[in-house]
Amino acid sequence: MNTMQVWKAKLRFNGQKLEDIAGSVRRELESAGLNIAEGAEIAVATGSRGIANIPLIIKTVCDFIKAKGGKPFIVPAMGSHGGATAEGQAAILAEYGISESTVGAPLRSSMEVVEIDHTGLPNRVYMDRNAWEADGVILVNRIKPHTDFIGEIESGLVKMSVIGLGKHKLAMEIHSFNAWGLANLLIPTAERIWEQNKILLGLAVLENAYDQTALVRALKPGVIVEEEKKLLQTARASMPALPADQIDILVVDRIGKDISGPGMDTNIIGRMLIEGMEDRPRPKIGHIIIDDLTEAAHGNACGFGLADFMTRKLFDKIDFQATYENILTSTFIQRGKLPMIADNALQAMDWSFRAFGRLDPAQARIMRIRNTLHLDEIYLSSALVKELSGAANIEIDREPRLLFQEDGTLTAF
């Protein structure tokens, strides 16, 4: 098994991107026709998902507010992430390069919330106190398919208005209704929040398959829902995908919250692991091996239950308090069940073959990826090379490489 060979392949996706990101953001903000009073304090809400060029985007928003006479400050809008602490959420933004020195505005991080009247809704409604006490709020978030449910509205400005700005309390409130709550309560709850006239604008960001900024769009609350539905379809069409529908073993070098909410994007791997929620129709993966955790995850390995095998290297990096808090808030506890823990990636591969029973290594459909966010370069076993050779969007190296080093760890990507 330690002499297993794989071939490096490059995938080609639509690479359309913005060349002048700051200029595009400024033009969008100007087109919204915002009136900001002299000296008005404006909260700029940003989240915990990795967004390309986010320091530049946030700085441009802050510069726009100052040019209009306002005083911007940054608010973390990330629900229970960062261990559901103010310090943890501030640390996440610092990791992304968002600080007063980089964006020109101070950070006010708190888990304190204000309760909003919820008459007519099955759930209570909360909002970050710092945002509530500001003279207005501008949301900045990426529009993309969600990892926990399928709907007309998934991850974006609507969700940030609710679960992001609602901090831990509203995240728990919505998630207490399980996946049904995400699919059915986000829009009416967001609309109740928007009725308070605190949200001035949402800046929607779309990315291409290479994790590059492809589009920005400034939306006032009255049009967010309908416009976000359209933008979600654009985002879905722009997503990368694994090039095979049937995979026996998928090796994932790293998982992490900075990669995807559950560590791995369920839109990529096809698995959901949510009671009552069907898996994505493609791809079908027999076993998933996860090898490591990103540093930016800060020990939060939420979603490791999506895998079948993990290495001890990954296991030893897990902050179970932060991980379990995130999983319990989501209520999707299947994702918090430990995979089998192998000494290294080679042992995990060996166990995977043993679990298959009669899978011939020469015929095994094996794929290795860096993570579910970056799919432009992958590795393929000989069986997948035969299947995918000649495809229009893939270029496969002629010479193979060893998958494992002598010590049983993965070779450098």
Side-chain angles (χ1 to χ4, degrees):
M1 194 71 69
N2 62 347
T3 59
M4 179 177 291
Q5 292 183 324
V6 289
W7 283 255
K8 193 171 189 177
K10 294 182 179 180
L11 302 181
R12 291 186 290 271
F13 305 106
N14 182 355
Q16 181 180 348
K17 64 178 182 177
L18 290 179
E19 298 298 337
D20 179 10
I21 296 167
S24 297
V25 171
R26 283 193 297 269
R27 286 189 291 273
E28 279 296 312
L29 294 173
E30 288 289 355
S31 70
L34 281 185
N35 292 316
I36 297 176
E38 186 71 29
E41 289 202 317
I42 307 298
V44 180
T46 185
S48 56
R49 296 287 183 265
I51 299 177
N53 304 299
I54 190 62
L56 173 60
I57 293 171
I58 296 297
K59 182 182 187 304
T60 305
V61 173
C62 291
D63 288 347
F64 170 82
I65 293 168
K66 287 187 279 189
K68 294 291 184 181
K71 297 179 179 179
F73 66 93
I74 307 302
V75 168
M78 56 182 77
S80 65
H81 297 176
T85 68
E87 297 77 16
Q89 297 198 346
I92 288 176
L93 293 187
E95 189 83 29
Y96 291 158
I98 298 173
S99 65
E100 184 168 4
S101 63
T102 59
V103 303
L107 173 69
R108 299 179 189 174
S109 182
S110 170
M111 300 306 290
E112 191 175 349
V113 293
V114 171
E115 185 165 5
I116 296 170
D117 176 58
H118 70 282
T119 303
L121 294 173
N123 57 286
R124 298 173 77 173
V125 182
Y126 304 95
M127 186 176 182
D128 176 279
R129 179 173 291 279
N130 285 319
W132 175 263
E133 293 178 350
D135 296 304
V137 180
I138 294 178
L139 308 169
V140 180
N141 204 18
R142 179 183 173 188
I143 309 296
K144 66 187 186 75
H146 203 272
T147 55
D148 299 338
F149 69 102
I150 300 172
E152 290 185 300
I153 291 285
E154 295 185 21
S155 188
L157 298 173
V158 171
K159 184 170 178 283
M160 175 175 272
S161 298
V162 180
I163 292 181
L165 275 181
K167 314 300 279 195
H168 193 204
K169 291 198 74 168
L170 190 46
M172 290 182 64
E173 186 75 12
I174 298 297
H175 280 294
S176 70
F177 293 87
N178 305 112
W180 181 90
L182 290 170
N184 294 279
L185 297 179
L186 287 182
I187 292 176
T189 304
E191 290 174 338
R192 179 59 53 87
I193 291 168
W194 298 337
E195 288 171 3
Q196 313 311 308
N197 295 319
K198 289 291 183 179
I199 309 298
L200 303 178
L201 193 72
L203 184 70
V205 180
L206 268 68
E207 295 182 8
N208 62 25
Y210 296 99
D211 193 27
Q212 298 167 323
T213 308
L215 181 148
V216 291
R217 185 69 53 80
L219 304 172
K220 289 189 174 180
V223 301
I224 284 178
V225 170
E226 290 308 312
E227 290 303 313
E228 188 169 320
K229 289 178 182 178
K230 299 173 188 176
L231 292 173
L232 177 60
Q233 296 307 309
T234 302
R236 195 184 303 281
S238 301
M239 281 194 71
L242 300 179
D245 289 341
Q246 298 288 332
I247 301 168
D248 294 319
I249 302 171
L250 177 68
V251 180
V252 183
D253 279 28
R254 288 178 177 81
I255 66 168
K257 293 291 294 184
D258 53 316
I259 300 298
S260 181
M264 294 182 285
D265 193 329
T266 59
N267 296 284
I268 301 299
I269 64 172
R271 295 184 178 182
M272 295 292 281
L273 277 192
I274 297 175
E275 186 175 354
M277 184 74 67
E278 292 185 3
D279 284 345
R280 307 283 183 180
R282 69 170 303 277
K284 298 296 183 184
I285 302 174
H287 296 155
I288 296 178
I289 296 171
I290 51 177
D291 184 61
D292 204 353
L293 184 65
T294 63
E295 290 185 13
H298 298 289
N300 188 339
C302 177
F304 53 56
L306 290 162
D308 303 287
F309 305 95
M310 72 160 66
T311 62
R312 187 160 298 280
K313 173 176 62 176
L314 192 162
F315 176 80
D316 288 342
K317 294 181 179 181
I318 298 174
D319 178 338
F320 280 95
Q321 180 177 350
T323 299
Y324 285 163
E325 180 59 46
N326 203 168
I327 291 171
L328 288 169
T329 298
S330 74
T331 74
F332 308 141
I333 61 171
Q334 294 290 331
R335 295 179 176 181
K337 294 186 176 182
L338 279 172
M340 294 183 70
I341 304 167
D343 289 338
N344 51 47
L346 175 60
Q347 186 177 65
M349 181 69 71
D350 180 60
W351 287 357
S352 178
F353 272 93
R354 288 178 61 185
F356 272 113
R358 298 180 63 85
L359 180 62
D360 180 359
Q363 301 301 320
R365 304 159 65 84
I366 300 171
M367 187 180 298
R368 177 189 175 191
I369 62 175
R370 282 194 178 93
N371 53 60
T372 58
L373 186 60
H374 303 104
L375 299 177
D376 54 319
E377 292 185 333
I378 63 175
Y379 282 94
L380 305 172
S381 65
S382 59
L384 284 175
V385 168
K386 292 176 183 177
E387 176 185 328
L388 298 173
S389 292
N393 67 333
I394 189 167
E395 180 182 334
I396 303 173
D397 285 357
R398 292 180 178 274
E399 298 298 324
R401 308 181 187 190
L402 290 176
L403 182 57
F404 302 104
Q405 300 186 86
E406 289 185 3
D407 62 359
T409 61
L410 292 169
T411 56
F413 206 97

